[in-house]
């Protein structure tokens, strides 16, 4: 969903994502030299309004509106410290509280602010643009999408939980009581000072919508004794997920294909079984003598890399969950990841065919009914085995492993779409593998033909644009400073991979939008040797949700990038409630990339 409103030269576009809203702003040329940013007031339906927080404030000497002309005085909100960006992503319950999330209709009031004669002028209602839209977990047709929050390295995390992270009580216990204490809330956290928080608290916050969708999927199956479950798993150690799977094993209504590549099998050089080995032992003990339950350990050519749950009732597939998210504490609470849930028998049946082939004969999978060398299109004109189902978005699903020629042809076809794209937004774990698709994306990032905005977990080629540049941006999720510049709090380090997504959005905000997503690493070798699934989806709402996720991650990690030199030994301790001289009093509208403005606020001519 997109909503656009304009008033007296001020334009605002709002885009609905997965329990988040992308707000984008534009202005006419008036008073450009006095413009200093935007105030953002947020009002959930039936709740009191509040201004979005902003840790940056003005330097000494700036005066503020007279008392009585504005709402609650707080120099660290955009009421008094306007945000100096032309867009913002609002996620409910990021700062104000951690236990309850308010979903439903939100009203956003956006006002440009001006400084004159050293004073911040009061909010001018004649320039305030107001719009409302739903903020809910994402669903389009029969498809739901969920993203992990992934912000261990964030001020929101530091405000709630402090500068350390403990996701498990130890490194050897697979299943544990998540209600146990994990730590104590940051003393500076509003309303939370000194309160203990549990593993469940931290898991819910970090896992966000992806965790909620996975747990819902499993609990729905647990509640109905007629439902059985088929599972593809790579990493498998999240305690609640494992407990639910073992409960279904005890009831004899689950089958599992679990990776047994080097990182998941045997002694691993330390003499200790891996969590996947523990799970296998517990699973076999519970399913002994139960013919409808079982576990297969395997790795195709290299990895059994899919992350899939399939619900069946009376033997017929009903519903499937897939995506990039491993069923592990790292996958849900450290990594940036996504899940997709199709509440649709056509899609679920297709995944069940793949599961049955792998469960029955993993070693012979490539020769099983040509499943591994085919692509399946839903309402799609593309060259794929077409499945007609109006309840399903237009899309293609590709299942690996593939023969080399097929894998190369598929990635080359997707690369051709990249070459023709108007815009490219992406979040990819690794872009250094041999791949026509990844090569095409890197070439576009370095060119000046197409607007690009993306992030990889690690990279030797980090590119940041300056105002007026025609090139795009490529940030990285690794090499971050834990101590940020004044006035921010220290943040925890990231334990493992930060960006685990594998998605690419092309032509956002057009009639030709598409997203590539799923478990595939988008590379030629893995497409030949891994059990994977790669989805190509053309639903505009789904494309928008993934585009917002890409923008959210780039904006967050760009500031924390490895080239950030602002943190120095011996820096003064950072305090929450203080203003900073980091913000320029006057904000030049040209600081927004012109192509970015065109992408996000298409209804208003750019400067």
């Amino acid at each position: 969903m997109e909503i656009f409103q304009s008033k007296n030269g001020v334009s605002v576009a709002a885009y609905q994502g997965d329990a988040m809203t992308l707000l984008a702003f534009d202005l006419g040329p008036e008073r450009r030299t006095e413009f200093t940013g935007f105030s953002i007031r947020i009002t959930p339906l039936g709740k009191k309004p509040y201004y979005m927080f902003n840790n940056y404030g003005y330097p000494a000497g700036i005066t503020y509106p007279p008392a009585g002309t504005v709402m609650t005085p707080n120099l660290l909100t955009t009421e008094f410290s306007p945000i100096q960006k032309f867009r913002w992503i609002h996620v409910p319950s990021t700062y104000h509280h951690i236990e309850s999330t308010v979903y439903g209709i939100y009203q956003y009031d956006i006002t440009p602010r001006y400084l004159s004669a050293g004073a911040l002028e009061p909010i001018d209602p004649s320039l305030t643009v107001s719009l409302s839209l739903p903020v809910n977990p994402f669903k389009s047709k029969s498809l739901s999408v969920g993203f992990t929050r992934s912000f261990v390295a964030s001020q929101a995390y530091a405000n709630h939980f402090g500068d350390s992270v403990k996701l498990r009580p130890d490194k050897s216990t697979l299943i544990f009581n998540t209600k146990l204490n994990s730590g104590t809330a940051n003393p500076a956290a509003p309303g939370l000072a000194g309160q203990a928080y549990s593993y469940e608290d931290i898991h819910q916050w970090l896992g966000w919508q992806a965790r909620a969708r996975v747990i819902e999927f499993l609990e729905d199956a647990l509640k109905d004794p007629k439902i059985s479950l088929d599972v593809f798993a790579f990493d498998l150690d999240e305690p609640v997920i494992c407990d639910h799977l073992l409960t279904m094993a005890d009831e004899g209504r689950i089958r599992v294909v679990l990776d047994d590549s080097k990182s998941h099998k045997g002694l691993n050089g330390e003499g200790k079984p891996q969590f996947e080995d523990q799970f296998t032992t517990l699973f076999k003990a519970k399913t002994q003598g139960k013919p409808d339950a079982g576990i297969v350990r395997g790795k195709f050519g290299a990895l059994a890399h899919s992350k899939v749950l399939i619900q069946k009732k009376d033997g017929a597939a009903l519903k499937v969950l897939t995506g990039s998210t491993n069923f592990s504490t790292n996958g849900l609470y450290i990594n940036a990841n996504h899940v997709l849930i199709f509440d649709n028998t056509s899609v679920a049946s297709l995944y069940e065919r793949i599961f049955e082939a792998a469960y029955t004969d993993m070693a012979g999978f490539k020769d099983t009914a040509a499943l591994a060398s085919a692509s399946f299109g839903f309402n799609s004109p593309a060259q794929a085995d077409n499945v007609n189902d109006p309840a399903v978005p237009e899309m293609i699903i590709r299942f690996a492993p593939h023969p080399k020629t097929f894998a190369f042809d598929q990635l080359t076809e997707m690369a051709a779409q990249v070459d023709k794209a108007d815009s490219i937004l992406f979040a990819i774990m690794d872009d250094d593998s041999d791949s026509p698709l990844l090569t095409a994306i890197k070439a576009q990032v370095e060119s000046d033909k197409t607007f690009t905005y993306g992030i990889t977990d690690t990279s030797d080629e980090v590119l940041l644009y300056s105002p007026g540049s025609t090139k795009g941006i490529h940030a990285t999720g690794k090499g971050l400073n834990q101590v940020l510049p004044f006035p921010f709090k220290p943040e925890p380090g990231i334990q493992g991979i930060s960006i685990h997504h594998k998605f690419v959005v092309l032509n956002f905000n057009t009639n030709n939008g598409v997203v590539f997503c799923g478990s595939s690493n988008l590379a030629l070798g893995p497409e030949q040797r891994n059990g994977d699934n790669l989805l190509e989806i053309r639903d505009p709402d789904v494309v928008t949700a993934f585009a917002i996720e890409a923008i959210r991650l780039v904006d967050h990690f760009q500031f924390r990038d490895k080239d950030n030199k602002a943190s120095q030994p011996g820096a003064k301790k950072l305090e929450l409630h203080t203003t900073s001289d980091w913000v320029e009093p006057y904000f030049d509208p040209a600081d927004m990339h012109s192509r970015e403005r065109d992408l996000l606020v298409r209804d208003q001519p750019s400067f």
Side-chain angles (χ1 to χ4, degrees):
M1 175 185 292
E2 175 192 356
I3 296 176
F4 175 83
Q5 296 285 350
S6 62
K7 180 179 179 181
N8 294 331
V10 183
S11 298
V12 178
Y15 300 87
Q16 185 179 12
D18 175 40
M20 63 181 85
T21 304
L22 170 62
L23 300 165
F25 323 127
D26 202 356
L27 287 174
E30 294 81 10
R31 301 189 67 189
R32 186 177 302 182
T33 59
E34 296 172 307
F35 172 63
T36 188
F38 294 95
S39 291
I40 304 174
R41 193 174 78 156
I42 301 170
T43 310
L45 183 65
K47 305 288 183 179
K48 293 182 179 180
Y50 61 89
Y51 281 89
M52 192 189 75
F53 280 87
N54 182 11
N55 277 333
Y56 279 151
Y58 291 114
I62 299 295
T63 59
Y64 296 89
T69 62
V70 292
M71 292 185 58
T72 308
N74 186 335
L75 298 185
L76 291 176
T77 73
T78 58
E79 181 183 19
F80 285 94
S81 302
I83 195 76
Q84 295 194 319
K85 294 177 72 72
F86 279 84
R87 67 174 182 281
W88 197 260
I89 293 176
H90 165 243
V91 181
S93 300
T94 298
Y95 188 98
H96 296 271
H97 47 84
I98 67 172
E99 293 182 352
S100 60
T101 301
V102 177
Y103 296 124
I105 301 297
Y106 275 69
Q107 177 173 315
Y108 299 96
D109 300 305
I110 313 299
T111 310
R113 303 296 299 278
Y114 297 91
L115 278 168
S116 60
L120 178 66
E121 296 181 3
I123 286 177
D124 182 352
S126 71
L127 299 177
T128 298
V129 174
S130 300
L131 44 75
S132 299
L133 81 168
V135 180
N136 294 309
F138 181 90
K139 186 173 179 64
S140 177
K141 297 183 179 179
S142 62
L143 172 60
S144 299
V145 176
F147 298 104
T148 62
R149 198 186 301 267
S150 71
F151 281 1
V152 166
S154 72
Q155 290 300 287
Y157 180 94
N159 286 336
H160 296 329
F161 304 112
D163 59 1
S164 63
V165 56
K166 186 178 181 183
L167 300 176
R168 316 181 67 96
D170 56 60
K171 296 181 179 180
S172 60
T173 304
L174 176 63
I175 297 175
F176 56 91
N177 182 1
T178 60
K179 299 298 176 110
L180 294 175
N181 181 32
S182 173
T184 303
N186 191 321
L192 299 171
Q195 292 184 21
Y197 58 84
S198 66
Y199 293 103
E200 184 69 17
D201 291 331
I202 196 171
H203 289 178
Q204 285 187 12
W205 193 87
L206 287 169
W208 192 225
Q209 300 302 309
R211 183 186 194 266
R213 301 293 83 77
V214 173
I215 300 301
E216 287 170 0
F217 193 98
L218 293 173
E219 290 181 346
D220 286 346
L222 284 169
K223 292 172 185 176
D224 188 341
K226 293 183 179 181
I227 289 181
S228 61
L229 204 63
D230 285 340
V231 180
F232 276 117
F234 181 64
D235 291 342
L236 183 59
D237 62 43
E238 204 287 334
V240 176
I241 293 174
C242 288
D243 184 62
H244 287 347
L245 297 181
L246 290 172
T247 297
M248 295 201 66
D250 196 40
E251 297 172 0
R253 50 191 182 108
I254 183 172
R255 301 184 300 174
V256 178
V257 172
L258 178 58
D259 182 71
D260 73 344
S261 59
K262 184 178 179 181
S263 63
H264 294 141
K265 182 180 179 181
L267 302 181
N268 200 30
E270 296 181 358
K272 297 179 181 179
Q274 302 303 297
F275 281 131
E276 291 73 21
D277 297 323
Q278 285 191 47
F279 179 86
T280 302
T281 299
L282 293 169
F283 187 96
K284 288 182 174 179
K286 290 181 178 294
T287 56
Q288 189 172 5
K290 296 168 182 172
D292 295 329
I295 188 166
V296 172
R297 299 293 302 272
K299 58 184 180 181
F300 298 95
L303 305 174
H305 196 244
S306 285
K307 311 92 169 51
V308 172
L309 305 172
I310 306 166
Q311 286 184 14
K312 297 186 300 179
K313 195 165 189 176
D314 299 325
L318 296 176
K319 190 175 182 179
V320 61
L321 179 148
T322 185
S324 67
T325 307
N326 284 310
F327 307 133
S328 64
T329 50
N330 268 13
L332 283 159
Y333 312 135
I334 299 296
N335 304 157
N337 268 320
H338 63 273
V339 298
L340 306 102
I341 304 95
F342 292 92
D343 190 0
N344 179 272
T345 56
S346 298
V347 181
S349 297
L350 178 57
Y351 275 86
E352 178 60 20
R353 287 173 59 191
I354 303 301
F355 179 87
E356 191 67 40
Y359 185 83
T360 303
D361 182 13
M362 181 176 285
F365 183 86
K366 287 188 177 183
D367 300 320
T368 304
L371 286 177
S373 60
S375 56
F376 299 86
F378 287 80
N379 314 307
S380 170
Q383 292 183 353
D385 293 344
N386 200 47
V387 181
N388 294 314
D389 191 331
V392 177
E394 182 183 329
M395 65 180 179
I396 299 170
I397 306 176
R398 300 173 174 91
F399 293 96
H402 301 301
K404 182 176 181 180
T405 300
F406 185 89
F408 181 81
D409 289 346
Q410 293 290 293
L411 292 171
T412 300
E413 189 277 330
M414 288 185 276
Q417 295 186 54
V418 169
D419 291 339
K420 298 175 182 178
D422 291 332
S423 63
I424 305 168
L425 298 94
F426 61 88
I428 302 171
M429 185 178 74
D430 180 12
D431 65 351
D432 290 329
S433 300
D434 181 19
S435 167
L437 175 58
L438 298 176
T439 298
I441 293 170
K442 292 175 73 173
Q444 290 284 45
V445 170
E446 295 171 359
S447 78
D448 59 1
K449 297 188 301 180
T450 304
F451 176 79
T452 60
Y453 206 76
I455 186 167
T456 53
D457 191 57
T458 56
S459 177
D460 294 328
E461 300 176 350
V462 176
L463 304 174
L464 308 177
Y465 65 67
S466 58
S469 169
T470 56
K471 292 188 176 182
I473 184 170
H474 178 191
T476 177
K478 279 289 180 65
L480 310 176
N481 282 321
Q482 290 177 244
V483 180
L484 298 177
F486 181 83
F488 297 102
K489 293 189 190 72
E491 299 172 351
I494 295 176
Q495 303 170 0
I497 293 170
S498 174
I499 306 301
H500 190 259
H501 281 302
K502 308 95 168 42
F503 76 79
V504 182
V505 173
L506 307 180
N507 305 318
F508 168 58
N509 208 12
T510 74
N511 294 327
N512 301 311
V514 60
V515 57
F516 307 131
C517 58
S519 68
S520 170
N521 285 320
L522 309 177
L524 187 57
E527 280 292 286
Q528 297 173 70
R529 297 189 294 272
N530 292 353
D532 261 323
N533 62 108
L534 171 57
L535 298 91
E536 179 177 334
I537 305 174
R538 297 186 179 276
D539 181 276
D541 292 333
V542 178
V543 170
T544 295
F546 275 91
I548 293 173
E549 173 71 357
I551 294 168
R552 179 181 78 101
L553 292 171
V554 174
D555 286 354
H556 182 80
F557 286 103
Q558 177 187 354
F559 176 68
R560 293 160 175 82
D561 212 289
K562 62 185 177 183
D563 292 326
N564 174 15
K565 307 296 185 183
S567 173
Q568 299 294 334
K572 65 178 291 188
K573 184 177 180 181
L574 307 181
E575 299 292 342
L576 177 64
H577 294 293
T578 182
T579 56
S580 165
D581 58 1
W582 272 57
V583 172
E584 293 292 334
Y586 300 102
F587 181 35
D588 187 349
D591 284 346
M592 185 181 187
H593 195 285
S594 60
R595 288 187 176 181
E596 183 180 342
R597 184 188 298 110
D598 293 342
L599 181 72
L600 298 179
V601 196
R602 289 183 180 270
D603 299 82
Q604 172 81 358
S606 56
F607 297 116

